[in-house]
């Protein structure tokens, strides 16, 4: 019985990935998002990332792969996940949890920077407020969501929606794939010599 559940889960994940592969609009938006990240780094800007729960873990992973190492040794790229517990608990306690990301953007974000925000539901209030603050401060905004959100889409420069079924885990599986692709495209642009072996 457990093998059947494993197979069913893998087929479900496979179907979600196939649906993304066949979604031309989503693929074009991923390409556009990579362009925004590349332009941000070319202009010496910073990328901030945020999300809740598993999406925060993805936001942290995205940032550390840029500042640290992804596939190849290369110079660090300026990225920060909004995840500092002191900041989060202070703002959450004093102002409310919906402001934990926006206050960080307000404090640190500058024109020419970029906010990459994740919301599997598409309704996370703190992500909406962060996107609104980022736009007001001249940051470009990349949104990854699961359920389509007209509000987040209107606040974004690039909106990537990956509907993958009824549960957040399938959406997050697609989000991490997209984040890895974005990092790879950034690396390929700035450090092409690292990828000469696969040409």
């Amino acid at each position: 019985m457990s093998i059947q559940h494993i197979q069913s889960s893998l087929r479900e994940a496979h179907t979600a990935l196939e649906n993304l592969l066949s979604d031309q609009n989503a693929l074009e938006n991923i390409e556009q998002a990579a362009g925004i990240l590349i332009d941000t780094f070319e202009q010496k800007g910073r990328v901030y990332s945020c999300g809740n729960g598993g999406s925060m873990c993805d936001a942290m992973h995205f940032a550390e792969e840029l500042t640290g190492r992804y596939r190849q040794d290369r110079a660090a790229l300026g990225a920060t996940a909004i995840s500092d517990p002191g900041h989060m608990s202070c703002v959450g306690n004093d102002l409310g949890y919906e402001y934990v990301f926006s206050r960080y953007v307000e404090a640190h974000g500058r024109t020419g920077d970029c906010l990459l925000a994740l919301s599997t539901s598409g309704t996370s209030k703190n992500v909406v407020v962060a996107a609104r603050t980022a736009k007001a401060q001249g940051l470009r905004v990349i949104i990854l969501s699961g359920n389509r959100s007209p509000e987040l889409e209107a606040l974004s420069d690039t909106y990537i929606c990956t509907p993958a079924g009824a549960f957040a885990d399938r959406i997050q599986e697609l989000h991490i794939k997209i984040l890895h692709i974005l990092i790879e495209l950034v690396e390929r642009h700035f450090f092409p010599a690292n990828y000469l072996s696969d040409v």
Side-chain angles (χ1 to χ4, degrees):
M1 190 64 169
S2 62
I3 294 295
Q4 290 177 333
H5 285 299
I6 293 167
Q7 290 173 328
S8 175
S9 182
L10 289 171
R11 288 192 188 99
E12 191 178 77
H14 178 76
T15 297
L17 184 57
E18 287 291 334
N19 289 339
L20 178 59
L21 269 168
S22 64
D23 187 337
Q24 188 64 30
N25 183 63
L27 299 180
E28 290 173 357
N29 288 341
I30 294 168
E31 182 179 39
Q32 186 179 39
I36 290 174
L37 294 172
I38 288 167
D39 186 62
T40 298
F41 291 130
E42 283 183 336
Q43 302 302 318
K44 307 303 180 186
R46 297 188 61 82
V47 175
Y48 299 94
S49 55
C50 67
N52 295 289
S55 292
M56 174 176 278
C57 296
D58 288 344
M60 293 169 66
H61 177 67
F62 172 74
E64 55 87 4
E65 294 282 41
L66 290 168
T67 59
R69 184 184 190 278
Y70 182 55
R71 290 187 173 181
Q72 306 288 346
D73 293 331
R74 40 81 176 164
L77 295 165
T80 301
I82 306 174
S83 57
D84 176 71
H87 166 83
M88 301 283 286
S89 60
C90 171
V91 175
N93 183 66
D94 294 345
L95 300 174
Y97 192 69
E98 66 186 279
Y99 299 105
V100 293
F101 301 138
S102 63
R103 290 289 286 189
Y104 197 95
V105 171
E106 183 181 341
H108 299 283
R110 300 291 180 266
T111 298
D113 290 343
C114 174
L115 174 69
L116 184 148
L118 302 99
S119 174
T120 58
S121 67
T123 60
S124 304
K125 289 183 179 179
N126 53 13
V127 170
V128 172
V129 177
R132 188 178 297 124
T133 300
K135 292 298 290 183
Q137 292 199 191
L139 282 73
R140 283 180 288 183
V141 176
I142 298 168
I143 297 291
L144 275 68
S145 78
N147 298 314
R148 184 161 291 279
S149 167
E151 186 172 23
L152 281 175
E153 188 168 9
L155 290 168
S156 67
D157 292 272
T158 299
Y159 181 77
I160 304 167
C161 184
T162 59
F167 300 104
D169 55 311
R170 293 288 170 251
I171 296 167
Q172 289 170 338
E173 287 166 5
L174 293 182
H175 282 180
I176 197 63
K177 286 177 172 57
I178 291 168
L179 294 176
H180 281 160
I181 290 167
L182 292 175
I183 297 163
E184 181 184 346
L185 291 175
V186 168
E187 278 199 348
R188 285 180 178 275
H189 177 83
F190 287 105
F191 311 98
N194 292 349
Y195 287 88
L196 288 177
S197 61
D198 65 2
V199 174

